[in-house]
Amino acid sequence: QKEVEQDPGPLSVPEGAIVSLNCTYSNSAFQYFMWYRQYSRKGPELLMYTYSSGNKEDGRFTAQVDKSSKYISLFIRDSQPSDSATYLCAMSGMDSNYQLIWGAGTKLIIKP
Amino acid sequence: DTEVTQTPKHLVMGMTNKKSLKCEQHMGHRAMYWYKQKAKKPPELMFVYSYEKLSINESVPSRFSPECPNSSLLNLHLHALQPEDSALYLCASSQGLAGKDTQYFGPGTRLTVL
């Protein structure tokens, strides 16, 4: 079993829809949770960073962390074709020596 | 400014060549990283420098040789690579330890080994 599970997709939704992306993890020691967006042939770009449990909102993006369920989510409201990319979750904690443990990445396609 | 720059953008090399990848950041970050990313896979950590000293080497073959000349620069020297080393090579930096401090990535160097 991988430490971080993420459905690779692709996930295809119409423009304007609310998108929900998720990761589950097995290591309860993870404390720091990140979502990166990666366009084809580009480097990952940090979207959201959350410490411990709770919600964080930034514009059209909301990150949720539920440590009791070992489940994190990224919601994208009013999705745009420019949101089409691969979304990678990453997390870390003392057990990983604070190095990032990555999900596989979900390919998201927003159809105009 | 949260920019990490990498040169070159693309590199094609033969198996007998020697080349170098360069990475630069001016955010005052004290930790810098090299990652390798194959298609449709997440980044794979290769090396970590903390305060200009190599702190993590993830059992990377010796044909990859990192160098940190100063706190802003990171190089990756390549020699006698194999075709399976073709990948996107990403540099990243963070203020301190990854996880506690946000890690910022460069655009990557797309390497093709013939």
Side-chain angles (χ1 to χ4, degrees), chain A residues 18-46:
Chain A
I18 295 175
V19 175
S20 173
L21 302 167
N22 311 294
C23 289
T24 59
Y25 62 96
S26 56
N27 189 339
S28 58
F30 287 148
Q31 298 170 286
Y32 304 93
F33 304 91
M34 286 134 276
W35 286 96
Y36 284 86
R37 176 175 64 193
Q38 187 171 24
Y39 292 111
S40 182
R41 297 176 169 268
K42 302 290 185 185
E45 170 194 8
L46 181 70

Side-chain angles (χ1 to χ4, degrees), chain A residues 32 34 49, chain B residues 33 93-104:
Chain A
Y32 304 93
M34 286 134 276
Y49 172 87
Chain B
Y33 311 78
S93 72
S94 62
Q95 181 64 42
L97 287 171
K100 286 183 175 179
D101 295 293
T102 311
Q103 203 168 132
Y104 296 94

